Every structure is written in structure tokens, then in C-alpha cells.
Amino acid sequence: MEESIADWQHKAVRVHRRKVFTLGWNSEAKRLASGSVDQTVRITRVDDHCNVKQETELRGHSDGVTNLSWHPTHPDKLASIAGQEKSVRFWDTRNSKNTATVSTPGANLYLAWSPDSHYVAVGNREDVVSIVDTRKMKVAHKYPFKYQVNEMAFTRDGKHLLLCTGQGELEMLSFPDMRKQRSLKGHTASVMSVALDRQQRYIATGGGDAVACLWDTEDFICQRTYIGMDYPIRCLSFSHDSKYMSIAGEQAVLDVENVETGQSLGRLQLHCTLSPAPLRCYSVRLHVFTTAMAAAPKSPDDFQLALDRIAAHLQQDAGADAQQAAAMTVVLMLQSTQLPANLAVITERLAALLDSSQPVVQRNAAAALSACLEASDSSVASCLEHTVTQRAVTLLSSGSSLNTPLELNLLVLLGTLAEASEATLQLLLDAGGAEQVLHRASPQHSPQLQEAAVDSLCKLAASGPAAKEVAAAAGAVPKLAALLAASSTSSDAAEVSVRALLCLGMLVSDSPERQVELADAPGAVAAVLHFVRMSDDGDCQQIAAGLFKELATNAAAKDAITAALKEQQAAEAALKFL
């Protein structure tokens, strides 16, 4: 009898201060690389006893690291891509140096390193696959596709490139001529992830239909499907001995299966789940400083000098025009530069501007503080020292004196603070930040405010059990249910609907009490059913279906679900009669 995954030795280790987007083991399977929205790649050594030692940090990206790939044979080299950057970076982890940067046609999402190490395939947001020659460090070929291209992987012999597509197929292309050889059709939605075992006997695919398929590499027949997930599968991985396969995605669980027998080794409950992409709500108009940052600083000294000059315009006596322009210039600098900086002084002065009498200054200061928190650890410490969390919550609670752009930026700031550190999260909860955010998650507010509020609630819910409890105690479930019911009848609230469904999913997961609370909320079940059956958005439909399944497994919620189904059937019958 195989040991259940619940009995395996495992531990949670905080390596980054932001969400982790990508992971990868090196060729020796002794070092784990992780890429995060905090714009860093961190290398961690893990021994056979699950002991963890953080080794080094790779800095240089100007956006969140979205994907990475180790050199196939060299245990110290890797490649990475990030956010809106139109490039691939190559690293030597022995000295933490960025050894080369290769420009690509667009902002990249996926990459794969060929087994002979001579090529890296990179897929971007415009569905163009670029082939980087690592011997010359330049793009050798570009291949545009007319359909969505997702994750990719080379076969172990390097003769084929596997492409996940939005057409529900896995395409096998000969390499390097990129000619289509065959398609594996086993999904009813986009294929999101692909993995190969080390013996090259199997290919695994995971899709937006929450199904994983296991294909043999001899006849390319689907040997087995895994249907235990309720949300899209975004990550598949074989163990180094190819005996086991792990399955994960937009659900806070990890399933492990025996590859040969299909027997499940159980499910590991995770403490987090996939959150929506960060929402940018810098609703400002720039009338000055439009050309001040036309050329990025060329060195850390130049960058720090520019920050020092801007800091002078953040002084209390500098005047509102200079203050608001300087605050937004901080945002532009941090979005465009790749240079590290100590932002403690900037953060301190921005914190003081939250007390300004000018709403436009407060608005720009809030946006700049969000950018600082995402860019530098020094800003987190400075925010704690200068009570940014408490000031932001107090300002948001001041009520009628606020305007919508200021409220938007304050909501984004609270969401960023929730992710920044455990200390800022706890301060936010203690200061009543969850209640202020919930107040904006109401049908009486504009869709913009609703979207920003629910996005911040998602970040809170993803921050841990304590934050979930506080949000639930403040009435998050019935308020989000009311918002969902209202958004189901509005064509202008698609993003609000998706975020509300995601947040409700996180709040009620593994909580029978909150599941019943949601089922009993007026119109909640009917709204969820509406998105399951009527939504034109595939992602929204899948999220709603997963939430409905969560409710349907709760016996105490059965009456509410039955009543909602009968009501919907009656309404459909009446429409047919009319």
C-alpha cells in the first residue's frame, strides 16, 4: 500500500513577499528556483529531509517574473521572463549575474529550453513563438500563430516542440522547422499546461476544463483522464523517477497520482489559491513631468540622484502641483527602470502626503505608495514605521469628502498592503480595512469601485485563514452575494462578476458554515446558476461551476439550491410560453 500524500513530509516556507508565479528544479533536482511578482528569482536548496536553505536572489527584472527554465544540463544556469518585458534574461546563479538579455518581439508568457541547450522557445501575448539561439544570444526565428498558444515543452530528444493551444489541442511540431506533425485532442477548453516524464513514455496535459490527460508517446492514445479538480489545471509535474504525477491549478489543493496504476495518493490542502492579476487603478491625468523621465537613468547612482531630486518635490511645502507631479513620476520611474533603490525616504514623504488637504495629491501619493511597495522591501519597512496602513484606512473611512479616483487608488493601496507582509496585513485588519473595502463592494457604487474593492478582497482572502475570518465576520459573503446578483443583470460588470465569484470561492472553500451562508443569501444561488448557464465568458462560467459544485456537496445547503433550481425552471418555462 502506497503512502498517502498526507503522510509525506512537507513544510511551507516564505521565500518571497509577493505571489509566486513560477517554480523549477535544476538538473540535479537539488535547487529550486522561484519567480515572483516581487520582480525577483530566488534560489533555494532543498535536501532529502525537506530542509530548506535560501541561497541567492536574482534581481534585474522590472516586472513580476512569470516564467523560468533551468539550463537542461548545467545546474547553475537558468533563463527567465517577466510581465511586460520584451526580453529573455539569462543568469549564472553562482554569482547572481544576469549574463545576457535577448530582446523579443513582445511581452512574454512562456518559455522552454531545448535538451541540447542550444535553443530557448519563447511564447508571447500576441501568440508569436520566438526561437532564441543561446550560442549567439539572439532571436533566430519567429513563428506567429493564428490561435492562442499557451505553455510549451520540448520532447527529451529535442526533435519536437509541444504547444498547448486555445483550441483544446496539444500540437506536436517538428523542431527546428516547426512543422505540425500531429494534434492530441482530449480537452473541451484551452490546454493550459504540459509535462513529460523523464523516460519519455508519457505526456500529460491539463486544461481549462479542469481535466488532466495522460498520453502514451508510442501510439499517442489517451491512457487515462483525471477529473478530480473543479477549476482549470495550470501545473503538471512528474517526479524524477516518473512514478508519480502532481496536478494543481486554480484550486487550493495539490493532487498526486500513481502514473502506472492511476491510484490517487490523496490530496494536499494548500494555504493559498490563484488570485486574479493585480488591478491597476492609477486614474490620474499627467499635466507636468511628461518628459522628465523620457530617458531612464543609466546607473544606480543616476537613479538615486533622480529620486533625491524628486523627493524634494514631495516636501509638505513644495506646493500641490509639484507634489502630485512628483508622486506620479515615482510611479513612472519604478515601472520603467530595472535598477534597485532604497525608497525609504520617498515612502516616508509619500506617507505624509496622505494627510494633504488636496485630494489630487492624496490620490497620486496613494498610487506612488503602491508602486514603492511592489518595488522595494525598504518601502514595506518605511510604511510600517510611518503608519501608512492606518492613514490609508482612516482616509478611506472619511466618507463623502472622497472622490472616485482617490477611492480607487486607496483600494489598490490596501490590496498591495495586504500582500506586502504579515505585519501590514495584520495592521490593515486591526484598523478596519476589510470593512472599508467591503463598503465599496456594493451595487450602489460604480463598477470601477466595485471591481477595485473585490480585487482587494481577493488579495485579503488569499492572505490566509485569519484574513478570511475577519472578512467573513464583517459580512463579506452576503455582501458579495448581493453584488453577484446585481452584476448578473448588468452588461457593464463582467470583471466584477469574475472577481466576486473568485472571492466567494476562496471564502467558502472548506467552510460548511459559510457555504450555507452563501446558499441562504437572497438570489445568490440563482446568480451563480446564471453564470454557469448564461455567461459568454468561459473563465467566468468555469469559476461559477466550481462554486456551484462546492455548494452542492453541502447537505445543509440543499434546500436553498433546490428552491433556486425550481425558480429558474419556472422562469424558463414562462419565457417559452410567452
Side-chain angles (χ1 to χ4, degrees):
M1 184 71 180
E2 288 182 304
E3 185 180 25
S4 168
I5 187 177
D7 299 323
W8 289 9
Q9 184 180 1
H10 56 85
K11 62 177 67 173
V13 180
R14 189 178 183 87
V15 178
H16 295 268
R17 61 186 178 88
R18 300 284 193 278
K19 293 185 185 74
V20 175
F21 281 158
T22 179
L23 295 169
W25 291 99
N26 73 344
S27 59
E28 298 176 335
K30 294 180 179 179
R31 300 163 75 211
L32 183 68
S34 54
S36 166
V37 73
D38 65 11
Q39 304 178 6
T40 68
V41 175
R42 298 189 180 180
I43 311 300
T44 305
R45 183 172 291 276
V46 184
D47 66 18
D48 294 337
H49 303 288
C50 208
N51 296 315
V52 174
K53 179 183 179 182
Q54 295 184 30
E55 285 192 346
T56 188
E57 179 181 81
L58 308 180
R59 284 186 173 272
H61 283 294
S62 59
D63 206 343
V65 180
T66 51
N67 217 319
L68 59 83
S69 179
W70 284 93
H71 189 287
T73 57
H74 198 301
D76 300 307
K77 295 183 178 181
L78 61 81
S80 60
I81 54 178
Q84 295 298 317
E85 289 184 0
K86 298 180 180 181
S87 62
V88 184
R89 290 178 180 269
F90 293 85
W91 306 88
D92 189 324
T93 63
R94 292 169 295 188
N95 52 23
S96 303
K97 284 189 176 181
N98 179 194
T99 56
T101 300
V102 179
S103 297
T104 56
N108 302 307
L109 291 171
Y110 305 100
L111 82 164
W113 210 320
S114 67
D116 62 7
S117 78
H118 294 166
Y119 300 99
V120 170
V122 189
N124 70 21
R125 296 176 188 273
E126 286 74 44
D127 302 310
V128 175
V129 175
S130 300
I131 306 299
V132 176
D133 188 326
T134 58
R135 295 161 294 183
K136 300 177 181 179
M137 284 300 172
K138 68 176 185 180
V139 173
H141 302 285
K142 291 178 286 187
Y143 300 96
F145 287 80
K146 295 181 180 180
Y147 43 84
Q148 185 184 60
V149 174
N150 298 319
E151 193 172 78
M152 60 188 74
F154 283 93
T155 54
R156 301 297 177 192
D157 58 10
K159 295 180 179 180
H160 296 91
L161 180 66
L162 305 178
L163 289 182
C164 300
T165 75
Q167 298 176 309
E169 301 176 2
L170 179 76
E171 290 192 354
M172 178 178 286
L173 309 178
S174 58
F175 189 82
D177 57 12
M178 298 288 279
R179 294 181 180 178
K180 185 175 176 180
Q181 302 299 304
R182 65 174 72 244
S183 292
L184 305 184
K185 303 176 182 179
H187 295 271
T188 59
S190 296
V191 182
M192 313 295 294
S193 54
V194 60
L196 297 92
D197 75 315
R198 295 179 70 84
Q199 278 76 41
Q200 202 167 318
R201 295 178 302 161
Y202 297 107
I203 298 171
T205 56
D209 52 6
V211 173
C213 297
L214 186 70
W215 310 80
D216 74 86
T217 56
E218 187 172 337
D219 300 316
F220 297 100
I221 295 174
C222 183
Q223 301 293 315
R224 196 174 299 113
T225 58
Y226 301 91
I227 57 174
M229 292 289 186
D230 296 323
Y231 293 89
I233 294 171
R234 293 186 177 271
C235 183
L236 297 164
S237 180
F238 286 93
S239 60
H240 270 254
D241 60 6
S242 301
K243 187 175 181 180
Y244 304 109
M245 182 176 71
S246 62
I247 306 169
E250 298 181 18
Q251 191 172 348
V253 296
L254 175 72
D255 285 351
V256 177
E257 310 283 341
N258 183 302
V259 174
E260 293 293 342
T261 66
Q263 179 184 358
S264 173
L265 270 69
R267 169 167 289 183
L268 183 64
Q269 192 70 39
L270 306 178
H271 299 296
C272 57
T273 188
L274 187 68
S275 296
L279 186 68
R280 301 284 184 179
C281 292
Y282 301 142
S283 303
V284 296
R285 294 176 182 270
L286 291 178
H287 299 291
V288 290
F289 277 91
T290 53
T291 60
M293 291 307 299
K298 300 298 189 294
S299 72
D301 290 341
D302 291 341
F303 184 59
Q304 197 61 56
L305 179 61
L307 284 176
D308 291 342
R309 289 175 177 172
I310 290 169
H313 295 283
L314 296 173
Q315 298 278 27
Q316 291 281 19
D317 57 357
D321 288 344
Q323 290 169 348
Q324 63 167 310
M328 280 314 297
T329 303
V330 171
V331 175
L332 294 176
M333 284 182 69
L334 296 180
Q335 288 179 341
S336 65
T337 188
Q338 302 173 11
L339 299 171
N342 186 330
L343 300 175
V345 173
I346 293 285
T347 304
E348 176 185 355
R349 294 185 180 176
L350 289 169
L353 293 186
L354 289 178
D355 299 329
S356 170
S357 60
Q358 300 289 330
V360 69
V361 173
Q362 296 171 314
R363 178 182 76 192
N364 289 8
L369 282 166
S370 295
C372 287
L373 283 164
E374 291 183 346
S376 171
D377 287 332
S378 63
S379 287
V380 179
S382 187
C383 280
L384 290 169
E385 182 179 354
H386 300 288
T387 63
V388 166
T389 306
Q390 297 91 323
R391 291 184 187 199
V393 173
T394 299
L395 183 55
L396 196 57
S397 64
S398 58
S400 58
S401 62
L402 298 176
N403 56 39
T404 297
L406 175 54
E407 284 184 285
L408 285 170
N409 284 358
L410 286 171
L411 288 169
V412 172
L413 177 56
L414 290 187
T416 309
L417 286 163
E419 292 182 316
S421 71
E422 292 180 5
T424 52
L425 170 65
Q426 191 58 53
L427 284 172
L428 189 154
L429 298 176
D430 293 342
E435 290 80 0
Q436 289 303 319
V437 172
L438 266 174
H439 175 65
R440 272 78 183 175
S442 167
Q444 72 188 47
H445 292 291
S446 69
Q448 274 186 309
L449 274 181
Q450 294 173 20
E451 185 179 339
V454 181
D455 189 71
S456 292
L457 279 174
C458 284
K459 292 176 181 178
L460 273 173
S463 297
K468 284 186 183 181
E469 291 298 330
V470 171
V477 172
K479 288 184 179 180
L480 285 171
L483 188 61
L484 189 66
S487 65
S488 66
T489 60
S490 172
S491 59
D492 299 327
E495 287 300 320
V496 176
S497 305
V498 173
R499 284 170 166 77
L501 287 165
L502 276 170
C503 195
L504 283 168
M506 286 188 277
L507 288 171
V508 307
S509 178
D510 299 318
S511 175
E513 296 81 6
R514 290 199 283 269
Q515 290 168 6
V516 172
E517 186 180 18
L518 175 58
D520 289 340
V525 176
V528 174
L529 279 170
H530 168 82
F531 288 110
V532 171
R533 305 181 69 176
M534 306 295 291
S535 176
D536 295 329
D537 186 323
D539 289 339
C540 186
Q541 200 169 48
Q542 289 171 5
I543 296 167
L547 184 57
F548 184 77
K549 287 180 183 178
E550 189 98 31
L551 296 179
T553 58
N554 189 322
K558 184 177 180 180
D559 290 343
I561 293 172
T562 303
L565 285 169
K566 288 181 178 178
E567 183 179 342
Q568 185 163 5
Q569 289 169 353
E572 290 176 355
L575 285 173
K576 288 180 181 179
F577 178 77
L578 293 174

